Amino acid sequence: AGGLSGIKKYEEAREYMAKAIELAPEFVPAYVQAGNSYLFNDPKDYEKAEQFFQKVLELAPTEQRSYDFMGDVYRAKGDFEKSRDFYTKATEYSGDDGSPFQQRGHVNSFLGDFAAARADYDKALSMAKENERPGFAVYRALVNVYEGNPEMASEELKNTVTQTKKDNWKQFPLTSAFWIAIHNKMFDTAEELHAEWVPIRMEQAKKGGTDAMMRDAFAAQTYREGMLTCMKGDYAGAAALADKLTTLVEPDADPRKMERVHHILGSIALEQGNFAEAVKHFDQANTDNIYIKYQLAKAHEGAGESKLVMQYYSDIAQNNFNSVPEALTRQIALEKIR
């Protein structure tokens, strides 16, 4: 089921999840996987997700994650108050785990209660293990993005990187700050962040010790450079980097290996006003990524396809799970569908 989900064969994956539940009706992870499938993967079905997570709660009523999953369901439905209640209940069983406070912080961010969101993230940070702190800090920094202050978010993330001891733990805040900078055309900042990220990513690949891992690191670097080059307006340079990325991923068996190439090419077409070409490429990129869905909406908007535009903006606005792409696009989408 996990393997099929990884290649987006969600309906087939769900058949295996159902078989796992049939074979082991008290095996909690099978219900968790099924619930998450209906919660996050198309076609989504929040009612079915709730049924699976209710079973998780019945089987494990003293586990904080059981309440966390229920909070996720109600967050997906847009019932933020009920979602917050479940995350609060999760804190009663979480011991020294700060993640339920982080989850409640996400809800408070969506509710626009930014002071409460920061308080929840601060509580999560105060409880966090050293390796957890950079991740919690990213979401605290995103509050600034929701408030419309990407520069403050960037500075907060830079401070997180400085305070983080191990290079490997720096990748998430560096990557988050990089995409925030690109979206807001803070190109000097993006280049600075990218330059700091590259040696960390390469060193990690060297430790892996395989040609495939080194090639993957070069592919990740090339993808980011392609997107940055595109957003700076050097479309020929970005296209050359897309060609380089194609060569790097060519040996891979992954059926999704070309998604990042199509993201670069779609972005080039979008920035140049070639909307039909942009749609063609974005449709072959990772449309589960909220930011790519946002770009796809812009491409359809440019092409005058109003029905599809509203569908995509509605999907973005109703995606109530926190991430950098969500923080960058949520308010734009909400304004579009009002």
Side-chain angles (χ1 to χ4, degrees), residues 193-302:
L193 293 161
H194 182 63
E196 190 169 356
W197 173 85
V198 168
I200 294 172
R201 182 67 180 85
M202 290 302 172
E203 182 60 29
Q204 182 186 45
K206 286 178 185 175
K207 289 180 179 177
T210 68
D211 291 341
M213 293 185 76
M214 284 301 300
R215 193 175 66 253
D216 182 66
F218 280 118
Q221 176 183 343
T222 303
Y223 166 58
R224 291 160 62 113
E225 290 172 354
M227 289 301 299
L228 177 55
T229 302
C230 169
M231 298 308 292
K232 289 172 67 177
D234 180 0
Y235 305 126
L241 287 161
D243 288 342
K244 179 180 177 181
L245 180 56
T246 300
T247 300
L248 285 166
V249 301
E250 194 279 329
D252 296 342
D254 185 354
R256 298 176 59 183
K257 64 186 179 184
M258 291 294 290
E259 287 182 347
R260 290 176 295 183
V261 174
H262 287 294
H263 187 201
I264 296 172
L265 295 174
S267 298
I268 294 169
L270 179 63
E271 293 298 310
Q272 291 182 311
N274 298 329
F275 301 117
E277 182 76 6
V279 168
K280 183 183 77 173
H281 286 295
F282 288 141
D283 277 339
Q284 298 175 79
N286 178 19
T287 52
D288 289 339
N289 182 301
I290 289 295
Y291 198 83
I292 295 175
K293 188 168 283 190
Y294 161 70
Q295 290 180 296
L296 188 53
K298 288 178 67 179
H300 282 296
E301 189 170 18

Side-chain angles (χ1 to χ4, degrees), residues 152-203:
M152 186 67 72
S154 180
E155 289 305 310
E156 196 168 318
L157 289 168
K158 286 180 184 179
N159 289 336
T160 295
V161 172
T162 300
Q163 295 164 13
T164 299
K165 293 180 180 178
K166 291 191 177 182
D167 280 350
N168 189 41
W169 299 343
K170 296 179 180 181
Q171 291 194 72
F172 185 34
L174 279 170
T175 296
S176 300
F178 174 79
W179 291 110
I180 291 168
I182 283 185
H183 175 78
N184 290 283
K185 302 190 183 304
M186 299 156 53
F187 298 131
D188 289 346
T189 299
E191 288 177 348
E192 173 190 336
L193 293 161
H194 182 63
E196 190 169 356
W197 173 85
V198 168
I200 294 172
R201 182 67 180 85
M202 290 302 172
E203 182 60 29

